[in-house]
Amino acid sequence: MAESIKAPRGVRDILPDESWKWAYVLTMARKVAEDFGYQEVHLPIFEQTELFCRGIGDTTDVVEKEMYTFEDRGNRSLTLRPEATASMVRAYLEHGMNKDARQPAKLWCAGPMFRYERPQKGRYRQFWQLDFEAIGVQDPLVDVEIIHLSLELYRRLGMTNLEVVINSVGCPACRPKYREALQNFLEPLLPDLCETCQGRYDRNPLRILDCKRPECKEKTEGAPSIFDSLCEECREHFDTVRQGLETIGARYTLDKRLVRGLDYYTKTAYEVLSGDLGAQNAVCGGGRYDHLAEAIGGPFVPGVGFAAGVERIVLTMEQQGCSLGEPPRVDVTVIPLDPSLRVEAMGLLASLRKAGIAASMDYAGKTMKSQLKVASQEGIRGVCILGGDEAAQGVGGVKNLRTGEQENVPLREIPSYLAKMLRE
Ligand code: HAM
């Protein structure tokens, strides 16, 4: 036999024992989106590579080391999206949404993202994000709304033991001064830092603070923070964000070292951390990106948003014993007593489904006894039995598995009979 093929490393199959939990999270996200006025969009899974290089930044880990980039048959360089923000802003510009009267455009999407990272619990090479973006205005209260939206989603999902960490990462006006201060601090340490950090010293020294190597982290511990070099405008913006968070009763921690892994951030940056996840503990991250649109060839269009990892939400909820709804099941099973009645049973199934009753039948040749056993194990509530004589007279036996009662019902009336029974 040929060797069997397995899924690639770092990806997961979401099977029926789990997919209903995902559906629950997605349904809740859709509801929260509606309540906050965010509209759903579906964006491409792959984009031109250039979008991410320019949008996320050439010197970020995501672009340097983690992208799934390939050439298509027309020799174009394409990349499986590692995140959705750059695509959202591209779509916003491409479809002229900046000309709409209503700003900001409040958009959200859900779907798989792809990053070539070292797989571990809560970190995969294909993972799902819920991504929310408010594009078009600079008002700090929109930052508050975005943070509030993420917290409201977690509240409705019943998640607890979460910590909100926020920082301001400044803007092009305050960064140059900070960059200089940081370079002065880093210069004597350079020989002890890793090659990647050394390479970033000139091109993007801020990224050095995001290096994951413990040796580099330790060496740069005492680095000055951007927070302490903020310009007047950034400071005022951040003060309003903090006041807003306090007003809505959102508790947060100021983390002056929070820089986030993507280059487009300006001003507000934040993460929500789960106390029940271990190393990969961020259940969402986001912030403001006022110059992303320009980086990808558009005009000045500010924006703010966040993305939450669905796997990490489900993991946290399981860990905390939160309710994730219930797996879907059919309500009724149809059992033909004789093989010659199987086709007729198909007709009955069709009329049940047309009446909105979830129903199924056995196709594997199981005995009536084992079909009844499976039905009660699966919590099925009603059984329709098609017997030779009764079927010939146009009736079927309907059994209520909860009460054990059984009654002969004219075939045409079975859907309404069952609908009533299921309502009781
Ligand atoms: P990010 O921090 O790279 O930000 O990812 C956001 C969230 O996606 C993380 O907090 C985590 O829950 C989840 N996530 C990231 N990588 C993985 C992985 N390898 N496996 C499982 N889950 C993962 C962004 O992607 C930005 N686009 C967020 C944003 C939106 N900023 C502004 N708007």
Side-chain angles (χ1 to χ4, degrees):
M1 259 213 295
E3 200 181 321
S4 62
I5 297 171
K6 302 263 174 18
R9 185 166 139 77
V11 306
R12 296 174 69 235
D13 298 308
I14 308 302
L15 299 177
D17 62 351
E18 204 185 351
S19 58
W20 56 274
K21 301 179 184 172
W22 281 51
Y24 181 80
V25 172
L26 279 152
T27 304
M28 202 62 92
R30 190 160 283 120
K31 183 74 183 82
V32 177
E34 276 171 25
D35 292 351
F36 279 72
Y38 286 67
Q39 293 173 306
E40 188 167 9
V41 292
H42 300 287
L43 300 179
I45 302 270
F46 58 84
E47 296 268 6
Q48 293 194 47
T49 301
E50 198 58 16
L51 173 70
F52 302 118
C53 296
R54 280 163 45 189
I56 299 174
D58 274 332
T59 53
T60 56
D61 275 357
V62 171
V63 171
E64 275 189 340
K65 305 181 194 161
E66 297 171 1
M67 296 208 301
Y68 281 92
T69 297
F70 60 97
E71 260 186 22
D72 74 358
R73 288 169 195 272
N75 299 324
R76 298 171 198 91
S77 179
L78 301 174
T79 294
L80 298 183
R81 61 181 183 191
E83 59 111 50
T85 311
S87 301
M88 283 277 207
V89 175
R90 183 215 28 87
Y92 173 94
L93 295 172
E94 193 167 333
H95 300 286
M97 289 187 222
N98 48 339
K99 298 189 186 81
D100 290 351
R102 205 163 47 151
Q103 300 290 336
K106 305 210 284 188
L107 308 170
W108 79 283
C109 72
M113 309 291 153
F114 306 84
R115 293 184 194 175
Y116 188 80
E117 292 193 88
R118 201 168 46 77
Q120 64 182 87
K121 186 181 166 208
R123 188 165 69 191
Y124 312 99
R125 290 183 173 170
Q126 173 175 330
F127 57 96
W128 269 58
Q129 278 186 348
L130 308 169
D131 184 85
F132 290 79
E133 310 290 352
I135 308 173
V137 304
Q138 274 185 295
D139 185 349
L141 293 183
V142 187
D143 309 27
V144 178
E145 174 172 287
I146 276 288
I147 298 174
H148 184 203
L149 199 164
S150 57
L151 298 180
E152 179 61 14
L153 174 64
Y154 299 142
R155 190 190 68 76
R156 291 192 198 181
L157 290 172
M159 290 163 64
T160 52
N161 196 13
L162 300 175
E163 187 191 5
V164 183
V165 285
I166 66 169
N167 191 18
S168 175
V169 295
C171 72
C174 42
R175 287 245 181 92
K177 199 175 99 202
Y178 172 63
R179 191 186 149 107
E180 209 183 302
L182 183 63
Q183 277 180 324
N184 289 341
F185 170 85
L186 291 170
E187 200 179 0
L189 306 175
L190 266 189
D192 300 327
L193 300 182
C194 73
E195 248 177 57
T196 314
C197 286
Q198 290 175 358
R200 286 172 173 171
Y201 178 79
D202 284 319
R203 288 193 299 157
N204 191 348
L206 270 75
R207 286 262 67 79
I208 295 179
L209 300 183
D210 199 37
C211 181
K212 305 283 180 304
R213 284 168 180 256
E215 310 86 64
C216 297
K217 268 189 159 171
E218 197 193 312
K219 292 267 166 355
T220 60
E221 194 100 293
S225 81
I226 174 82
F227 188 85
D228 295 321
S229 315
L230 292 181
C231 64
E232 194 57 31
E233 188 192 312
C234 286
R235 196 163 288 283
E236 272 175 22
H237 185 100
F238 197 60
D239 285 345
T240 310
V241 172
R242 294 176 74 164
Q243 280 167 21
L245 291 177
E246 275 145 33
T247 306
I248 61 166
R251 270 193 276 160
Y252 63 85
T253 312
L254 169 66
D255 177 358
K256 291 185 185 180
R257 283 189 68 91
L258 179 72
V259 283
R260 311 251 317 118
L262 312 160
D263 267 357
Y264 49 61
Y265 289 112
T266 49
K267 299 193 169 111
T268 315
Y270 87 105
E271 287 182 351
V272 179
L273 310 175
S274 162
D276 290 291
L277 275 187
Q280 299 305 318
N281 61 350
V283 283
C284 78
R288 181 161 276 285
Y289 45 84
D290 288 345
H291 301 284
L292 171 56
E294 289 156 280
I296 62 170
F300 171 69
V301 177
V304 58
F306 78 93
V310 176
E311 288 82 356
R312 294 188 194 174
I313 291 179
V314 172
L315 273 171
T316 302
M317 290 177 71
E318 284 175 340
Q319 190 83 18
Q320 298 183 347
C322 304
S323 163
L324 279 143
E326 276 181 22
R329 55 172 169 71
V330 295
D331 287 318
V332 172
T333 186
V334 175
I335 306 182
L337 288 184
D338 187 274
S340 65
L341 293 167
R342 282 166 36 85
V343 174
E344 190 157 341
M346 242 13 243
L348 180 56
L349 267 184
S351 59
L352 291 175
R353 289 168 177 159
K354 199 170 163 196
I357 296 171
S360 69
M361 72 180 240
D362 164 67
Y363 299 110
K366 286 206 181 85
T367 61
M368 163 139 160
K369 195 172 158 209
S370 75
Q371 286 184 56
L372 282 172
K373 194 169 154 204
V374 171
S376 65
Q377 274 169 355
E378 290 183 352
I380 284 173
R381 293 171 58 191
V383 181
C384 292
I385 298 161
L386 281 186
D389 292 344
E390 291 86 351
Q393 291 160 21
V395 294
V398 179
K399 184 168 183 172
N400 182 334
L401 287 187
R402 295 249 164 105
T403 60
E405 284 165 23
Q406 185 164 339
E407 209 176 319
N408 279 346
V409 180
L411 287 177
R412 264 191 292 135
E413 290 170 24
I414 288 182
S416 54
Y417 180 92
L418 274 169
K420 184 164 171 280
M421 188 192 102
L422 293 172
R423 276 198 300 272
E424 278 162 7

